[in-house]
């Protein structure tokens, strides 16, 4: 996968090539770093790093989601599975409340496109 940390111009990058394997984190987990800051610029650098990490995770999540959707479609199933999505949304809601629901919905829309009308 591209080095997304240096791609501040990028929106959500293209998914990894089909068949690409997950090799784990490419940098030290942010949680291991000291997040005590001594100035605004340093705090903003941490935030930029976290945002880049989030975008990288989202690209990987979207790729996995699209593979699952393709496998289900190939078996004649629906692309979208509402029961599974409700489980995901509930976890985000438990952790973060109404804003968690909004984030979960945005993540799902990113990963599976717009839900078709019933
Ligand atoms: C990835 C899946 O397919 C769709 C996408 C989901 C997702 O991006 O999390 C969840 C449910 C489905 O609507 C799945 O069923 O797990």
């Amino acid at each position: 996968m591209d080095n997304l940390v240096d791609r501040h111009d990028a929106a959500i990058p293209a998914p990894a090539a089909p068949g690409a394997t997950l090799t784990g984190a490419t940098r030290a987990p942010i949680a291991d770093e000291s997040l005590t800051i001594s100035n605004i610029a340093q705090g903003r650098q941490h935030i930029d790093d976290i945002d880049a990490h989030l975008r990288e995770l989202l690209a990987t999540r979207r790729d996995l989601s699209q593979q699952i959707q393709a496998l289900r479609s190939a078996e004649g199933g629906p692309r979208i599975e509402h029961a599974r999505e409700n489980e995901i949304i509930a976890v985000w809601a438990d952790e973060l409340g109404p804003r968690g629901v909004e984030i979960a919905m945005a993540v799902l829309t990113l990963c599976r496109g717009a839900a078709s009308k019933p």
Side-chain angles (χ1 to χ4, degrees):
M1 188 180 285
D2 291 339
N3 177 3
L4 301 178
V5 174
D6 297 325
R7 294 189 50 199
H8 294 293
D9 59 329
I12 299 297
T21 52
L22 293 173
T23 54
T26 54
R27 71 179 78 83
I30 287 169
D32 284 357
E33 299 169 13
S34 168
L35 293 181
T36 303
I37 60 169
S38 50
N39 58 61
I40 290 171
Q42 191 185 18
R44 286 181 174 175
Q45 185 59 57
H46 279 308
I47 285 173
D48 287 349
D49 289 348
I50 289 169
D51 286 354
H53 198 175
L54 286 170
R55 289 191 296 271
E56 185 173 7
L57 289 170
L58 284 168
T60 302
R61 189 197 190 286
R62 182 175 63 174
D63 182 48
L64 289 169
S65 178
Q66 290 177 349
Q67 289 185 55
I68 291 170
Q69 293 168 63
L71 286 169
R72 196 163 47 239
S73 294
E75 294 169 354
R79 194 173 59 81
I80 293 177
E81 205 173 282
H82 293 291
R84 168 69 175 156
E85 295 198 0
N86 287 339
E87 288 173 4
I88 291 168
I89 293 166
V91 173
W92 282 84
D94 284 350
E95 191 80 24
L96 296 174
R99 296 295 83 79
V101 174
E102 292 174 0
I103 293 168
M105 297 298 294
V107 168
L108 287 166
T109 301
L110 176 76
C111 292
R112 53 94 164 111
S116 52
K117 297 203 172 73

